[in-house]
Amino acid sequence: MNNQYILLWKRMLLGISMSIIGGLALVFAFPPYEIWPLVFIGYIPVLVAQYRVLPPKFSSLAPAIGTAVWLQGYLGPVFAPVGTFMVYLPLIAGGISFLTDSGLATFHKKTGYRWFVISGITSWAGSEMIRLFIPIAGTWAFIAYPLYRQTWLIQPVSIFGIIGMGMLIMMVNHVITLLILKWIDHRWVLSDAPLLKAIFLRRWVLSGGVILMVWIMLSLVLFIIPLNTSKVTVAAIQPQASPINSANEGQDELVAKLHNDMMEQTRKAASAGARFIVWPEASFLWDPQVEDRLNVVGLSQETNSFLALGYILILEQGFRNEATIIDPQGRFLGVFGKDHPVVFGGETSISRGTYPVYQTSIGTLGTIICYDLDYTDTARKLVRQGAQLIGVPSNDWGSIAQKHYTHVVFRAIENRVAMVKADGGFNSAIIDPYGRILSLAAFPEGGAATLVAEVPLGTGKGTIASHLGDWMGWLALCGMIFFMVAGKWLEKRADEQNKEMKSYSPSQHDISESKQ
């Protein structure tokens, strides 16, 4: 009894340690560390701990600990400056994993791991799909983001979306885990370990390898298909500090300096050939269509550029967080209201719900604002109307300077559209329709930058992902619900099949008679 007690604690200690290692591996896969190959193997220690190391009744500790460690390492620094309940998200996510995964070890044992890969993929991707409905979540920490610089690999996102990319990543993690579990079972016999059937293992290794190779080949083909669109020189104006934050702190002199600097940066960008120039979110606290205190109309005319501006009006009923575009003739083309306000920061957006695009001499233009780039739907709605180039005014904070612009890469590929992110002091980027970062300024401590680059326009026709939306996410969500609802039925069915096989297996007496 004493030996069993010691073995139990050894398994607990080893399982918890492996879960922590798995969580840390995912942390190092994401920015700012960017050891991206870890994303394909980082979850394996968690799965091995869950299904072989930890005792079955404690098995859900593995995903709970792995998830909490990963999200604390990745999101912890992001939300530390924000405070509020957001700092507890890693613990909340870990608690949810502990509860939802509590019966998985028993389920896979009873079903002989027949559904191990499929249920693992759909569970992960289904949870990502659910997060798209949550105002405080969006695509933050989606498992595909570490691959943002591997544009040769992520082009099928234009078909399957970012969730489809995540499903491929989790397929690789789960298939390799199956191989490791089989290897473990050959060397150590655990009384609570089920038998892994070789036929299921062979099928998944073969099919998983084929799926991965097809994905890579498809990505390479999509990567070399020319757009055959015209190019335009664009610019992102990043001041040394946030105008709205400075205004809220009563630093009027600094705000005036920032505005003067931004106007000079705009002239500098125009002299370098920029025709589409984007300013940050909330560059000023008035509606330029009503009162033009900075003479931005004259600036657009002077620089012969299309000037995309973000501004905020603070009203009793909420914010009007908007973006407009002024053409070279000084005309306002329309107004976009921020689609996804930052609710955990107390923000509202009472003018949301319209998604205008503007046909111009340089292409069809549109805007989204900051947190909109963390969701898949807003850019998609513009591209469905023909947008070829999207300006993204934003107002970030230092702890997300090395993370937030990576989201724009996937929005660009999902919709095959060029995007220009201009931030209020921390991270700005110019990204082409293939997700390539043509120019970048990411300063965690803040700083001014004027980004200028020539970028090909999107086709204006969108992609399969543009028109079908998060279809892979919906499939995964259906699969997730199926396993939640039909799990007991699948266990019962597997048990009946096993009994039938035993009843039909020839006895020793039958074998002897057949030989006679």
Side-chain angles (χ1 to χ4, degrees):
M1 190 68 176
N2 188 44
N3 289 338
Q4 290 180 348
Y5 183 78
I6 293 173
L7 178 61
L8 172 65
W9 280 104
K10 284 183 177 179
R11 290 178 66 175
M12 291 292 291
L13 181 61
L14 178 59
I16 291 171
S17 300
M18 291 178 65
S19 303
I20 294 172
I21 290 171
L24 290 175
L26 293 182
V27 172
F28 286 112
F30 280 78
Y33 309 103
E34 302 198 15
I35 311 175
W36 65 269
L38 287 176
V39 79
F40 287 100
I41 59 174
Y43 204 61
I44 293 173
V46 176
L47 293 171
V48 174
Q50 183 176 5
Y51 295 106
R52 281 300 179 273
V53 180
L54 288 171
K57 62 181 178 179
F58 299 112
S59 61
S60 63
L61 275 176
I65 293 171
T67 299
V69 169
W70 162 44
L71 293 182
Q72 179 59 39
Y74 181 65
L75 293 180
V78 168
F79 293 116
V82 178
T84 70
F85 66 94
M86 298 297 289
V87 298
Y88 300 108
L89 280 181
L91 287 176
I92 295 171
I96 292 173
S97 293
F98 180 77
L99 295 174
T100 56
D101 286 10
S102 60
L104 284 181
T106 301
F107 170 75
H108 290 307
K109 180 178 180 178
K110 290 184 176 180
T111 57
Y113 281 67
R114 177 191 293 266
W115 307 104
F116 179 72
V117 178
I118 289 291
S119 68
I121 293 171
T122 55
S123 175
W124 188 283
S127 67
E128 289 193 337
M129 185 66 189
I130 290 172
R131 280 151 56 190
L132 289 178
F133 305 128
I134 303 174
I136 63 171
T139 62
W140 274 98
F142 269 30
I143 199 67
Y145 277 131
L147 304 178
Y148 77 99
R149 289 192 184 275
Q150 312 310 313
T151 48
W152 61 275
L153 179 60
I154 61 178
Q155 296 307 309
V157 165
S158 63
I159 300 172
F160 304 105
I162 188 173
I163 294 180
M165 182 80 247
M167 293 171 77
L168 180 79
I169 291 169
M170 295 315 296
M171 181 200 72
V172 174
N173 276 274
H174 280 76
V175 171
I176 296 176
T177 297
L178 276 181
L179 288 169
I180 294 174
L181 295 184
K182 189 67 174 177
W183 179 83
I184 290 174
D185 292 345
H186 274 303
R187 282 154 181 80
W188 295 281
V189 179
L190 299 174
S191 60
D192 50 28
L195 176 66
L196 266 173
K197 293 184 178 180
I199 186 171
F200 295 141
L201 183 60
R202 287 196 298 268
R203 286 175 182 174
W204 270 113
V205 170
L206 178 61
S207 58
V210 169
I211 291 171
L212 180 60
M213 292 306 300
V214 169
W215 179 285
I216 292 173
M217 289 188 291
L218 176 61
S219 185
L220 294 174
V221 169
L222 292 172
F223 199 37
I224 63 174
I225 295 177
L227 289 175
N228 296 322
T229 57
S230 59
K231 295 183 177 181
V232 61
T233 301
V234 301
I237 305 302
Q238 178 171 305
Q240 69 181 41
S242 165
I244 185 172
N245 291 350
S246 301
N248 289 336
E249 294 167 1
Q251 302 183 59
D252 295 337
E253 291 184 5
L254 176 58
V255 172
K257 181 182 183 303
L258 293 174
H259 286 156
N260 287 332
D261 290 346
M262 291 163 65
M263 295 181 75
E264 288 304 312
Q265 288 174 275
T266 301
R267 294 185 179 99
K268 178 182 176 181
S271 67
R275 297 295 316 284
F276 181 64
I277 303 174
V278 184
W279 281 24
E281 176 186 16
S283 289
F284 36 82
L285 299 174
W286 59 84
D287 186 343
Q289 298 170 99
V290 177
E291 48 180 331
D292 190 5
R293 302 182 192 178
L294 299 179
N295 191 25
V296 289
V297 169
L299 181 64
S300 183
Q301 293 172 321
E302 173 192 343
T303 57
N304 191 35
S305 64
F306 291 85
L307 189 56
L309 306 167
Y311 59 94
I312 280 185
L313 277 77
I314 302 175
L315 308 174
E316 287 187 6
Q317 59 270 43
F319 296 164
R320 277 177 50 197
N321 190 340
E322 299 172 348
T324 187
I325 296 178
I326 309 172
D327 72 8
Q329 288 72 47
R331 297 172 299 195
F332 290 92
L333 301 183
V335 172
F336 168 82
K338 190 173 184 179
D339 195 25
H340 294 279
V342 185
V343 293
F344 61 81
E347 183 186 346
T348 56
S349 185
I350 61 176
S351 55
R352 59 184 296 194
T354 61
Y355 309 93
V357 298
Y358 318 109
Q359 295 182 355
T360 72
S361 58
I362 62 171
T364 303
L365 310 178
T367 57
I368 63 177
I369 301 175
C370 200
Y371 205 42
D372 293 336
L373 66 89
D374 299 322
Y375 291 80
T376 59
D377 60 336
T378 309
R380 183 167 68 226
K381 290 172 182 176
L382 297 183
V383 171
R384 283 176 177 173
Q385 299 181 75
Q388 297 173 285
L389 175 59
I390 296 177
V392 190
S394 66
N395 187 54
D396 293 333
W397 56 93
S399 60
I400 63 174
Q402 294 177 302
K403 297 178 174 70
H404 206 199
Y405 69 90
T406 66
H407 298 194
V408 189
V409 170
F410 282 84
R411 304 296 86 80
I413 297 174
E414 285 164 359
N415 300 290
R416 202 62 80 201
V417 65
M419 304 187 77
V420 182
K421 181 181 187 294
D423 189 65
F426 295 103
N427 68 120
S428 299
I430 298 173
I431 297 171
D432 80 358
Y434 293 98
R436 291 175 292 208
I437 300 172
L438 304 182
S439 188
L440 173 67
F443 308 140
E445 301 302 321
T450 304
L451 305 185
V452 179
E454 186 180 58
V455 63
L457 295 173
T459 62
K461 298 178 181 178
T463 63
I464 291 176
S466 300
H467 294 284
L468 295 184
D470 301 298
W471 65 281
M472 289 295 288
W474 284 109
L475 286 178
L477 185 57
C478 290
M480 180 183 181
I481 295 171
F482 169 77
F483 284 109
M484 292 173 62
V485 173
K488 293 298 181 183
W489 174 76
L490 291 173
E491 290 179 13
K492 183 179 179 181
R493 185 168 177 265
D495 185 56
E496 291 173 351
Q497 289 175 343
N498 290 334
K499 289 180 179 178
E500 288 178 3
M501 289 179 63
K502 289 180 181 179
S503 64
Y504 283 122
S505 60
S507 65
Q508 192 67 36
H509 175 73
D510 294 332
I511 294 174
S512 300
E513 285 188 347
S514 65
K515 287 182 179 179
Q516 294 175 1

